[in-house]
């Protein structure tokens, strides 16, 4: 492989992987320069595209696709979630409870991520989550996300009101730790 390749799958309700799993994975030692090029230029890929203006999140679809790709090998999935609209997903809605019932309000709202974490752990896959909020009063159901990380022996890293000047060192250190452990 000479350069990174991108495949766009427009359907997020029924996940399929458009090529063989072996074609989607590369050796880090053999493809180090290509991976670094991808990471260095990642922001530029979506600058002028319509997808950069879309506020929809495909978080659940990304988990399902990653699982289908590495379930035969095991490994680690690293998910970065910054979309403000993932909370509109039916599995991540805020529970409608009385204001006095704090445990129900701040507990896990759905067992999907708990069950997914268990399934991933059975095939030796851990999930490291990096969750960002970018504005005041932006809700993220972190407890529901945490179920998947906890059950799969992964980690959860949360950055409330992310600011590059305030959080960059923390994010860099936690990402380095996740990549090297």
């Amino acid at each position: 492989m000479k350069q990174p390749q991108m495949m766009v799958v427009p359907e997020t309700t029924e996940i399929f992987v458009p090529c063989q799993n072996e074609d989607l994975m590369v050796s880090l030692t053999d493809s180090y320069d290509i991976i670094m090029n991808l990471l260095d230029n990642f922001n530029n890929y979506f600058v002028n595209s319509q997808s950069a203006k879309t506020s929809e999140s495909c978080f659940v679809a990304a988990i399902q696709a990653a699982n289908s790709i590495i379930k035969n090998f095991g490994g680690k999935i690293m998910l970065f979630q910054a979309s403000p609209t993932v909370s509109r997903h039916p599995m991540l809605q805020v529970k409608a409870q009385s204001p006095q019932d704090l445990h129900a309000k701040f507990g896990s709202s759905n067992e999907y991520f708990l069950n997914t974490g268990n399934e991933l752990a059975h095939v030796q896959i851990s999930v490291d989550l990096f969750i960002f909020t970018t504005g005041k009063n932006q809700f993220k159901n972190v407890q529901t996300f945490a179920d998947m990380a906890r059950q799969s022996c992964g980690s959860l890293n949360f950055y409330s009101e992310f600011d590059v000047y305030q959080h960059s060192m923390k994010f860099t250190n936690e990402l380095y730790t996740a990549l090297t452990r």
Side-chain angles (χ1 to χ4, degrees), residues 2 7 10 16-17 21 65 69 81 87-88 91 104 134 162 178:
K2 303 283 185 220
M7 290 179 235
F16 73 97
V17 180
N21 292 348
I69 292 168
Q81 210 306 311
S87 62
R88 292 187 198 146
M91 292 179 216
T134 55
F162 183 78

Side-chain angles (χ1 to χ4, degrees), residues 65-152:
N67 181 22
S68 71
I69 292 168
I70 67 170
K71 67 183 174 189
N72 295 328
F73 308 106
K76 182 186 289 197
I77 298 173
M78 297 179 74
L79 292 168
F80 300 83
Q81 210 306 311
S83 172
T85 60
V86 76
S87 62
R88 292 187 198 146
H89 194 284
M91 292 179 216
L92 301 176
Q93 290 297 318
V94 181
K95 289 182 179 180
Q97 298 288 333
S98 66
Q100 292 79 21
D101 192 5
L102 291 178
H103 176 69
K105 185 175 184 179
F106 293 108
S108 182
S109 64
N110 190 292
E111 293 193 4
Y112 173 79
F113 290 110
L114 177 72
N115 295 336
T116 301
N118 284 328
E119 291 171 14
L120 293 171
H122 286 294
V123 292
Q124 304 298 312
I125 298 172
S126 68
V127 178
D128 289 343
L129 298 171
F130 294 84
I131 301 175
F132 305 85
T133 61
T134 55
K136 292 204 180 283
N137 300 324
Q138 185 182 12
F139 176 77
K140 295 282 185 165
N141 192 335
V142 177
Q143 183 60 41
T144 301
F145 288 120
D147 287 343
M148 185 170 50
R150 186 180 320 108
Q151 293 302 316
S152 68

